[in-house]
Amino acid sequence: MFVLLLLTACNKDDETVTVDAPKGVATVTFLVTPNGLGDNGYNDAAAEGIFAFANATGTRLRLLLPKDEAEAENMYRQWLTDNATQDSAVMILGSSVYEGLAQSNHAALTGQGSRVLLFENDAVIDGVSTVLVSHYGVSYLAGAMSQGFDALILAATEGVPALEESIAGYRDAREIYAGENNGKPCQTTLHYLADNEMGFAMPDSAYRYIVRRADEFFFYDEMVFPLLGGSESGVLRYMNDDEFTLSLMVGMDVDQSGQSSRIPFSVVIRIGDVLRQCLNDWTSGREWPGHMQFGMKDGAADIVVTPNFFRHLNLWDNRYADPDTFQRLYEKYKDEAMKKEQTLPLPSL
């Protein structure tokens, strides 16, 4: 980010960060999702990969920071108008929330090397390449590693493909490996925080929901699987406020081991590395296919176990009395999770 700020200037009127590029110079424009940056997770990881590419190659980078989806569509339409005949101009649409925008605004680009890339999506869209990191296998692995605990899947909103894939993987593993605790079968609960995209930007609501849920139990010891974007900070706040809670949380999108002592392992989606690879292919003249898919087998998704997890807890129990508990579970189920992921059908292109 520091390097980017050295190379750019901020225009607060239209919420863009930009440098005007001379004609014939390659440019990359990143249309960020509303409230996307600053989540310490998926969106920031994506931006980091794009920033790293721009810094390493000297490619001009422009960020578009819309207040809402309506403004995002106006920005996208303007970019299509300005770049219809330009050479070497790339638009990166940040996440699947922009699928409808891409479908309804045809990317008729005639410039040499000009492209539109939509990530976190596998839709077939004329004039647009899509890229997806499968969340199924790594979520399946997280579900298997959550055995012995009741589990709460707390998701931002219903119908987002990446979230639904994560939910499916986690639940499929839990159906097999949830196990028992104190002689009772462990349960899996799914709750959606909101009925629209605002669920990704409601940390206070996430915090209040967890507090209410904890109040229902004498000992609250669920494993929370958060699919919340920026709202996840509310769950982290609860975990850090109540240092004597027995509940745990799966870190999400990046290694979050430093954000709470209650995170035994993190689901890591290396979307920044994937986007950087796509952009490097673009500058090398390699054609993007209609759809690109990555997963655990490519190293694009994995689980990172928190080192010395048990040493930082005020309370722990016999489910992880062995300091290598979660590492052993990771090693036991990783190959199975990868095989499960590879059996998923690819989209029809």
Side-chain angles (χ1 to χ4, degrees), residues 186-334:
C186 293
Q187 305 298 311
T188 305
T189 303
L190 169 63
H191 178 77
Y192 292 102
L193 194 61
D195 58 4
N196 55 45
E197 300 293 336
M198 286 304 297
F200 290 103
M202 297 168 59
D204 290 343
S205 295
Y207 175 78
R208 288 193 296 269
Y209 178 79
I210 292 291
V211 169
R212 289 196 305 269
R213 191 164 182 83
D215 288 343
E216 296 174 2
F217 296 83
F218 185 71
F219 291 113
Y220 182 55
D221 64 349
E222 283 185 310
M223 180 78 77
V224 181
F225 188 64
L227 303 168
L228 295 166
S231 296
E232 186 194 297
S233 62
V235 182
L236 283 168
R237 176 184 166 195
Y238 167 77
M239 295 291 173
N240 293 329
D241 280 358
D242 188 348
E243 61 180 331
F244 295 110
T245 184
L246 293 173
S247 59
L248 302 178
M249 188 189 100
V250 179
M252 192 56 60
D253 295 331
V254 298
D255 181 1
Q256 294 187 315
S257 56
Q259 297 196 34
S260 174
S261 64
R262 307 303 303 180
I263 297 176
F265 58 88
S266 299
V267 169
V268 175
I269 306 296
R270 299 188 175 97
I271 185 61
D273 292 344
V274 168
L275 292 176
R276 188 173 183 180
Q277 177 181 328
C278 291
L279 290 169
N280 282 329
D281 288 346
W282 167 65
T283 57
S284 299
R286 299 186 185 95
E287 189 67 28
W288 287 341
H291 178 66
M292 297 167 279
Q293 186 148 324
F294 301 84
M296 292 183 69
K297 64 181 176 60
D298 309 295
D302 204 350
I303 279 182
V304 174
V305 177
T306 301
N308 302 318
F309 162 69
F310 73 103
R311 293 185 182 177
H312 306 290
L313 301 176
N314 290 318
L315 292 176
W316 63 89
D317 59 42
N318 288 331
R319 286 173 288 186
Y320 44 87
D322 180 349
D324 294 325
T325 294
F326 292 105
Q327 183 64 38
R328 292 179 188 276
L329 290 169
Y330 170 80
E331 293 170 359
K332 182 176 181 178
Y333 296 109
K334 181 178 180 180

Side-chain angles (χ1 to χ4, degrees), residues 156-186:
T157 189
E158 193 170 2
V160 177
L163 269 58
E164 296 301 331
E165 185 182 41
S166 297
I167 291 167
Y170 194 81
R171 293 175 95 174
D172 286 352
R174 293 280 301 176
E175 288 181 3
I176 304 171
Y177 298 118
E180 296 183 348
N181 184 30
N182 294 324
K184 296 181 180 179
C186 293

